[in-house]
Amino acid sequence: MTKAGVNGKPKVAFIGLGAMGRGMAIQLLSEGFPVSGFDVNPMSLETLLAMGGTAAPSPRECVHDASFFICMVANATQIEHVLFTESVGAVFGLKKDATIILCSTVAPGFPQKILDQIHHRFCRPDINLVDCPVSGGTLRAAQGTLTIMSSGAQNALRLAHPVLQSFSQALYTIDGGLGSASKVKLINQHLAGVHIAIAAEAMGLAATMGINTKQFYDIVLKSPAHSWMFENRVPHMLCNDWSPHSALSIFVKDLRIVTSEGLNENFPLYIASAAERLYQFAARAGYEKEDDSGLVRIFIPQNLSLISEATHRESHAADHERTSRMICLILSIVHGVAAVEALSLGIKLGLSIKALNSIISNAAGASKSFAAVATAMMGQQIAPIRTLTQSRDILKQATVIAQTYDYPLQITTTTLQLLQQAVARGLGDQDQAALHVLWNPLAL
Amino acid sequence: MTKAGVNGKPKVAFIGLGAMGRGMAIQLLSEGFPVSGFDVNPMSLETLLAMGGTAAPSPRECVHDASFFICMVANATQIEHVLFTESVGAVFGLKKDATIILCSTVAPGFPQKILDQIHHRFCRPDINLVDCPVSGGTLRAAQGTLTIMSSGAQNALRLAHPVLQSFSQALYTIDGGLGSASKVKLINQHLAGVHIAIAAEAMGLAATMGINTKQFYDIVLKSPAHSWMFENRVPHMLCNDWSPHSALSIFVKDLRIVTSEGLNENFPLYIASAAERLYQFAARAGYEKEDDSGLVRIFIPQNLSLISEATHRESHAADHERTSRMICLILSIVHGVAAVEALSLGIKLGLSIKALNSIISNAAGASKSFAAVATAMMGQQIAPIRTLTQSRDILKQATVIAQTYDYPLQITTTTLQLLQQAVARGLGDQDQAALHVLWNPLAL
């Protein structure tokens, strides 16, 4: 077995060759790293083999002689399984001084727990570990242009970076030690999860209120209502394409990580939790293995094709303009309040808004409102968009209109309640960033 | 046509002979009132005719020569239709000095709006109007043992009471003028709507966690987790009986009235709104015309018979006890926090807690937690049940457990967030009644 590639690059073991992992492994190969792969599903190895990689029969054999072991399985349970399973686990085959790169999205406390076990329970204090969650989706994984957050001991990061660079466009080092990168990923997933859910809520409302959904989509892209997820996921809704570009079950898991962290910190996550329940309802309705954009179907069960049918609809120009404007405002305001909730959690977890802003602006959690709120929360003067009282009144009016359709505004209503609370507490004249005190009540 | 019964009792016109109205009209007949009925569905008149009533071909003819006109149609739109439709509306046939008794559940501002129209637009200043919403369900309607709230001008109330007494067990007069009774009904419906929804959430969780649902039901009835609605509705869930004892659409409407009033008052109704969205999702899923207990199906879409199948289940004794205790605590705490939200809204609307307590304790909004919270909010010393910190920790633990099932705790999580907020604001050592400040933030 090759110890190093022809160009002297060290061997990389790659476990977890799903939609994301496959793209990353192929980038490694094309950069000249010898790659040995393992996946419980042998089909997942085919592309790797075709591109010159090798296949291993177990995690233990996969990591043999590899300087780096990238773990890109679906969740924490699978990581423990891959590493620690009696006799075939990777921990029994790790090369001296090897570096483990955990790329899965996990709870921030998890990487340290794993490293402690490797060092103490398995008596391998020579092993390095970094947590390197990624963002960007399968397309950017295949292009080698992912956003990667990394944290861990200095030495481990120094070793891992040349490998990580091969599949990233933007590679960030997060201060604060092992787990800090997972904290940043958690904030990104909070936003990304909420943005898909509010995109679904908004598109269901647009279709229910009778406007042309394709035209509405085009309007959002050019407006302050834009989010990365809206742009990326709504096209699937517009053509009823529920094939799993990214399975809904991923956000059931990722929002569970987000809200669990909120519970640990006694930190109420009103909006993330409202979104989580939508994903849970959708998963229970049988949409778990399909694309996360398919969440929209719980809003339109009477006609699951309503959004795509409405792409051909002719709507009265004045109605279309009024309704589009209203739903764009819902999106902007919800994105903004979600940004305050997510950034407040970030502060609570010890992260800097500056770091979160620069990373998330290039990741799946990005939105125009997020950028504005983050800038304001960093204390920079920006032209105020609207006061909290104005935002509240806009969402009140939207809620009254949606009620005439008995349309369930799960996330919009939750956002409205936070605005009502803030106005009642005397913050009505301020802008969205002032909502931060809702998560820091003793500061008021 | 009879002007008065053989015993001299005045003629009563009754419009809206649905499940509730039919029982009420029959009570009137059995008390010796001559009753003339009208309903858009002629089938609804059959029982009335069989019992000695008469049928009218239009609202206008129905109210002819009647001293009282009881309106028990489904909603405000139907009331306007019955009263004001060109040429056949009741307003064109009302006897001089007749008294209109509005029994439908409507927004508190609606009765005065109707009376103003009758007095001014239709130039009938002689007409009296009282708003008399009822509570108790179809069984108590048939038995003549409804709870009735009444409000309006003194003279109108004096006239209406002998009629109302014929179908009520408890007849309350609410101070504050026309619409005040509808405010009390609104508070009752807030609680009743939330109690059905949390009963569904709890029963779905019990079934999902593997305990025997019939045994769990029996435990709740004897515990502080009891609510009138839990006792009344869960039996339908236990035997998959979705025939409309009370249609789900009624609570879609009634919670819309509740949350609309919250919007008017800039008063955030976290729990009622979380419940409303469950009813809206259930209505959209096609359960609108079936029994409101059928709401539970949105929690268990994979197996719609899960609750009834679990009545035969043998569960491990220790698991059963632990899980039952946990879900009983969820019910008690949610009922308690919902009571604070509802009573705080009542105060905001100018109602007295004392009046709300005595009425709702005999109505569908009753629960053991409600009684305890109302007593505490009246300033009476009661043995504290648990602190807000304890309640928060119980719901945190329950949420963590439910997350392992990816079970959507819509109302429980919303309640938990309010408790988290209260503890963060320094109220952790106090009991549930102290939560009132969340709805009155400037009082803190």
Side-chain angles (χ1 to χ4, degrees):
Chain A
M1 197 172 277
T2 347
K3 289 197 179 183
V6 282
N7 50 13
K9 289 202 174 172
K11 177 179 163 188
V12 178
F14 204 112
I15 298 186
L17 292 151
M20 293 286 290
R22 204 148 47 225
M24 293 156 70
I26 287 164
Q27 286 299 320
L28 285 168
L29 283 171
S30 70
E31 297 272 329
F33 289 96
V35 177
S36 161
F38 174 80
D39 197 286
V40 285
N41 176 7
M43 300 286 286
S44 302
L45 291 163
E46 282 179 7
T47 323
L48 185 74
L49 291 171
M51 303 288 287
T54 58
S58 74
R60 180 181 191 156
E61 285 161 282
C62 183
V63 300
H64 176 74
D65 230 10
S67 302
F68 298 95
F69 160 32
I70 299 180
C71 190
M72 189 57 195
V73 294
N75 55 43
T77 308
Q78 291 184 12
I79 292 173
E80 288 176 331
H81 195 74
V82 158
L83 271 168
F84 303 135
T85 297
E86 186 65 29
S87 79
V88 294
V91 77
F92 303 106
L94 286 169
K95 182 180 171 182
K96 177 133 176 48
D97 298 325
T99 299
I100 302 175
I101 299 173
L102 285 187
C103 292
S104 314
T105 300
V106 293
F110 183 77
Q112 187 62 52
K113 209 180 82 182
I114 290 294
L115 187 58
D116 288 346
Q117 286 196 66
I118 294 170
H119 283 181
H120 305 300
R121 186 173 140 214
F122 293 96
C123 304
R124 289 295 305 269
D126 58 303
I127 299 299
N128 304 296
L129 187 143
V130 288
D131 68 316
C132 298
V134 306
S135 177
T138 51
L139 185 64
R140 283 172 57 185
Q143 294 168 336
T145 59
L146 289 170
T147 292
I148 301 188
M149 298 136 259
S150 64
S151 65
Q154 287 296 331
N155 185 50
L157 288 170
R158 191 182 48 74
L159 290 166
H161 274 196
V163 177
L164 295 170
Q165 248 138 13
S166 71
F167 46 77
S168 69
Q169 179 177 55
L171 171 57
Y172 297 93
T173 304
I174 315 298
D175 295 336
L178 195 59
S180 298
S182 292
K183 291 179 183 174
V184 174
K185 178 72 193 279
L186 184 153
I187 304 302
N188 183 69
Q189 292 311 87
H190 173 302
L191 291 163
V194 168
H195 292 172
I196 295 171
I198 187 63
E201 187 167 305
M203 291 306 295
L205 181 62
T208 300
M209 288 183 68
I211 64 172
N212 181 304
T213 46
K214 174 67 173 75
Q215 286 171 15
F216 175 65
Y217 173 72
D218 294 336
I219 289 169
V220 171
L221 292 206
K222 285 173 271 173
S223 84
H226 179 271
S227 74
W228 191 94
M229 277 299 188
F230 190 95
E231 178 169 359
N232 187 270
R233 297 303 206 268
V234 172
H236 311 165
M237 302 179 198
L238 293 175
C239 62
N240 267 355
D241 173 15
W242 315 127
S243 62
H245 302 280
S246 182
L248 192 135
S249 58
I250 294 173
F251 268 108
V252 172
K253 173 193 70 110
D254 285 3
L255 284 176
R256 186 171 59 224
I257 291 173
V258 172
T259 60
S260 295
E261 198 68 12
L263 287 176
N264 287 342
E265 299 285 341
N266 283 320
F267 194 90
L269 295 171
Y270 309 97
I271 299 180
S273 170
E276 181 185 26
R277 284 168 265 143
L278 294 178
Y279 287 96
Q280 289 170 333
F281 278 121
R284 297 177 89 75
Y287 304 144
E288 192 170 9
K289 292 179 178 167
E290 296 179 299
D291 196 60
D292 50 26
S293 60
L295 173 66
V296 73
R297 287 173 289 180
I298 66 170
F299 289 98
I300 48 167
Q302 310 97 323
N303 176 1
L304 298 176
S305 305
L306 188 65
I307 312 268
S308 67
E309 288 172 13
T311 57
H312 303 296
R313 184 187 272 165
E314 290 203 22
S315 46
H316 183 273
D319 284 349
H320 190 278
E321 200 196 317
R322 195 169 40 240
T323 303
S324 295
R325 195 186 312 123
M326 182 187 92
I327 304 179
C328 279
L329 285 167
I330 290 177
L331 286 164
S332 303
I333 294 170
V334 168
H335 293 162
V337 178
V340 181
E341 179 174 285
L343 289 169
S344 298
L345 177 61
I347 293 169
K348 174 87 177 178
L349 296 178
L351 301 170
S352 89
I353 297 191
K354 196 170 164 214
L356 288 169
N357 183 37
S358 68
I359 298 167
I360 292 175
S361 296
N362 289 308
S367 74
K368 289 207 178 141
S369 294
F370 172 81
V373 164
T375 306
M377 282 179 74
M378 285 188 285
Q380 291 173 34
Q381 290 294 327
I382 51 163
I385 302 167
R386 62 185 81 82
T387 67
L388 293 176
T389 301
Q390 288 168 335
S391 293
R392 180 200 64 178
D393 291 342
I394 290 165
L395 293 196
K396 266 176 72 170
Q397 202 188 345
T399 302
V400 169
I401 291 169
Q403 275 193 328
T404 64
Y405 298 89
D406 289 327
Y407 185 86
L409 288 179
Q410 169 91 346
I411 297 184
T412 305
T413 308
T414 304
T415 305
L416 168 58
Q417 289 161 356
L418 294 171
L419 292 165
Q420 288 175 312
Q421 210 179 109
V423 173
R425 290 168 78 173
L427 302 170
D429 291 338
Q430 303 199 36
D431 77 1
Q432 288 197 327
L435 281 173
H436 175 46
V437 299
L438 293 185
W439 285 275
N440 189 14
L442 299 177
L444 191 63
Chain B
M1 196 173 276
T2 347
K3 289 197 179 184
V6 282
N7 50 14
K9 289 202 174 173
K11 177 180 163 187
V12 178
F14 204 113
I15 298 186
L17 292 151
M20 293 287 290
R22 204 147 49 223
M24 293 156 71
I26 287 164
Q27 286 298 320
L28 285 168
L29 283 171
S30 70
E31 296 271 331
F33 289 96
V35 177
S36 160
F38 174 79
D39 197 285
V40 284
N41 176 6
M43 300 286 286
S44 302
L45 292 163
E46 282 179 7
T47 323
L48 185 75
L49 291 172
M51 304 287 288
T54 58
S58 74
R60 180 182 191 155
E61 285 161 283
C62 182
V63 301
H64 177 74
D65 230 10
S67 302
F68 298 95
F69 160 33
I70 299 180
C71 189
M72 189 57 194
V73 294
N75 55 44
T77 308
Q78 290 184 11
I79 292 173
E80 288 176 331
H81 195 74
V82 158
L83 271 168
F84 302 136
T85 297
E86 186 65 29
S87 80
V88 294
V91 77
F92 303 106
L94 286 168
K95 182 178 170 183
K96 176 131 177 49
D97 297 325
T99 299
I100 302 175
I101 299 174
L102 285 187
C103 292
S104 315
T105 300
V106 294
F110 183 77
Q112 186 63 52
K113 210 180 82 181
I114 290 294
L115 187 59
D116 288 345
Q117 286 198 64
I118 293 170
H119 283 182
H120 305 301
R121 185 173 142 216
F122 294 96
C123 305
R124 289 295 305 268
D126 58 303
I127 299 299
N128 305 295
L129 186 143
V130 288
D131 69 316
C132 298
V134 306
S135 177
T138 51
L139 185 65
R140 283 172 57 186
Q143 294 168 337
T145 59
L146 289 170
T147 292
I148 301 188
M149 298 136 260
S150 64
S151 65
Q154 287 296 333
N155 185 49
L157 288 170
R158 191 183 48 75
L159 290 166
H161 275 194
V163 177
L164 295 170
Q165 250 139 12
S166 70
F167 46 76
S168 69
Q169 179 177 56
L171 171 57
Y172 296 94
T173 304
I174 316 298
D175 295 336
L178 194 60
S180 298
S182 291
K183 291 179 183 174
V184 174
K185 178 72 193 280
L186 183 153
I187 304 303
N188 183 70
Q189 292 311 88
H190 173 302
L191 292 163
V194 168
H195 292 173
I196 294 171
I198 187 63
E201 187 167 306
M203 291 307 295
L205 181 61
T208 301
M209 289 184 68
I211 64 172
N212 181 304
T213 46
K214 174 67 173 75
Q215 286 171 16
F216 175 65
Y217 174 71
D218 294 336
I219 289 168
V220 171
L221 292 206
K222 284 174 272 173
S223 84
H226 179 270
S227 74
W228 191 94
M229 277 298 188
F230 189 96
E231 178 168 358
N232 187 269
R233 297 303 206 269
V234 172
H236 310 166
M237 302 180 198
L238 293 175
C239 62
N240 267 354
D241 173 15
W242 315 127
S243 62
H245 302 280
S246 182
L248 192 135
S249 58
I250 294 173
F251 268 108
V252 173
K253 173 194 69 113
D254 285 4
L255 283 176
R256 186 171 59 224
I257 291 173
V258 172
T259 59
S260 295
E261 198 68 12
L263 286 176
N264 287 343
E265 299 285 340
N266 283 320
F267 194 90
L269 294 171
Y270 309 97
I271 299 180
S273 170
E276 181 185 26
R277 284 168 265 143
L278 294 178
Y279 286 97
Q280 289 170 333
F281 278 121
R284 297 177 88 75
Y287 304 144
E288 192 170 8
K289 292 180 178 166
E290 296 179 299
D291 196 61
D292 50 26
S293 60
L295 173 66
V296 74
R297 287 172 289 180
I298 66 170
F299 289 97
I300 48 167
Q302 310 97 323
N303 176 0
L304 298 176
S305 304
L306 188 66
I307 312 267
S308 67
E309 287 171 14
T311 57
H312 302 296
R313 185 187 270 165
E314 290 203 21
S315 46
H316 183 273
D319 285 348
H320 190 278
E321 200 196 318
R322 195 169 40 241
T323 303
S324 295
R325 195 185 312 122
M326 182 187 92
I327 304 180
C328 279
L329 285 167
I330 290 177
L331 286 164
S332 304
I333 294 170
V334 168
H335 293 162
V337 178
V340 180
E341 179 174 285
L343 288 170
S344 298
L345 177 61
I347 293 168
K348 174 86 177 178
L349 296 179
L351 301 170
S352 89
I353 297 192
K354 196 169 163 214
L356 288 169
N357 183 37
S358 68
I359 297 166
I360 293 174
S361 296
N362 290 308
S367 75
K368 289 207 178 140
S369 295
F370 172 81
V373 164
T375 306
M377 282 179 74
M378 285 188 284
Q380 291 173 35
Q381 290 294 327
I382 51 163
I385 302 167
R386 63 185 81 81
T387 67
L388 292 176
T389 301
Q390 288 168 335
S391 293
R392 180 201 64 177
D393 290 343
I394 290 165
L395 293 195
K396 266 176 74 170
Q397 202 188 344
T399 302
V400 169
I401 291 169
Q403 275 192 328
T404 65
Y405 298 89
D406 289 327
Y407 185 86
L409 288 179
Q410 169 91 345
I411 298 184
T412 305
T413 309
T414 304
T415 304
L416 169 57
Q417 289 161 356
L418 295 171
L419 292 165
Q420 288 175 313
Q421 209 179 110
V423 173
R425 290 169 78 173
L427 302 170
D429 291 338
Q430 303 199 37
D431 76 2
Q432 287 196 327
L435 281 172
H436 176 46
V437 299
L438 293 186
W439 286 274
N440 189 15
L442 300 177
L444 191 63

